Amino acid sequence: MLSSKISFFFSTLLGIIFVVFYYNSNFYPFESINLVYYVESINLVLTGDKVNWKISLYLLGLIFTFIYHLLFYKIKTPIFFKGFITSLIVFIAYLIILMLFFDINRLTYMYIYLIQDLLALFIFYLTVSLIYRRRKVGD
């Protein structure tokens, strides 16, 4: 069994790999999305394009894994459901942020992309929840 520190970083990497594969080879009614384009756009805004997009994507994944880390003991369910519930919590926060920038008509127009993003969150957090095990003390 991996230590919790190593599994934290490894689960993030594996989750990102699965999400990138999911976005690149999507099925109907979804369409393939070039995740690199969006990461490079975020990278341009935050760092002025001084950081490699792969590093930016991994750091973004670490932020999402840290959210799981914070909620690990607060969600009193089995491991599989911890990832599922964390996905829903992050998705609700994502929807709230989108509602601040767009109106409801725009959100209903992009509902298929929202479902696609929710599935990507499920894939990421399921991977993290199956690999990452947080220990109470001493690790």
Side-chain angles (χ1 to χ4, degrees), residues 11-28:
S11 65
T12 303
L13 179 64
L14 199 57
I16 288 171
I17 289 170
F18 288 154
V19 166
V20 168
F21 179 73
Y22 165 74
Y23 274 123
N24 285 338
S25 60
N26 235 318
F27 50 89
Y28 183 80

Side-chain angles (χ1 to χ4, degrees), residues 53-111:
W53 69 269
K54 293 176 185 176
I55 295 171
S56 296
L57 181 61
Y58 187 70
L59 291 174
L60 188 63
L62 285 175
I63 291 169
F64 281 107
T65 306
F66 186 69
I67 293 169
Y68 178 80
H69 175 81
L70 293 175
L71 296 174
F72 188 84
Y73 288 121
K74 295 186 183 356
I75 301 171
K76 306 288 186 201
T77 61
I79 293 295
F80 178 79
F81 293 112
K82 286 180 192 272
F84 183 74
I85 293 170
T86 305
S87 300
L88 291 176
I89 291 170
V90 170
F91 186 72
I92 290 170
Y94 175 60
L95 282 179
I96 291 170
I97 291 169
L98 286 177
M99 284 182 192
L100 294 174
F101 291 103
F102 302 117
D103 60 353
I104 294 296
N105 292 332
R106 174 73 174 160
L107 291 180
T108 56
Y109 174 74
M110 54 191 267
Y111 78 94

Side-chain angles (χ1 to χ4, degrees), residues 22 26-32 111-113 115-117 119:
Y22 165 74
N26 235 318
F27 50 89
Y28 183 80
F30 307 120
E31 57 186 61
S32 295
Y111 78 94
I112 197 75
Y113 298 107
I115 294 171
Q116 188 177 15
D117 291 343
L119 290 174

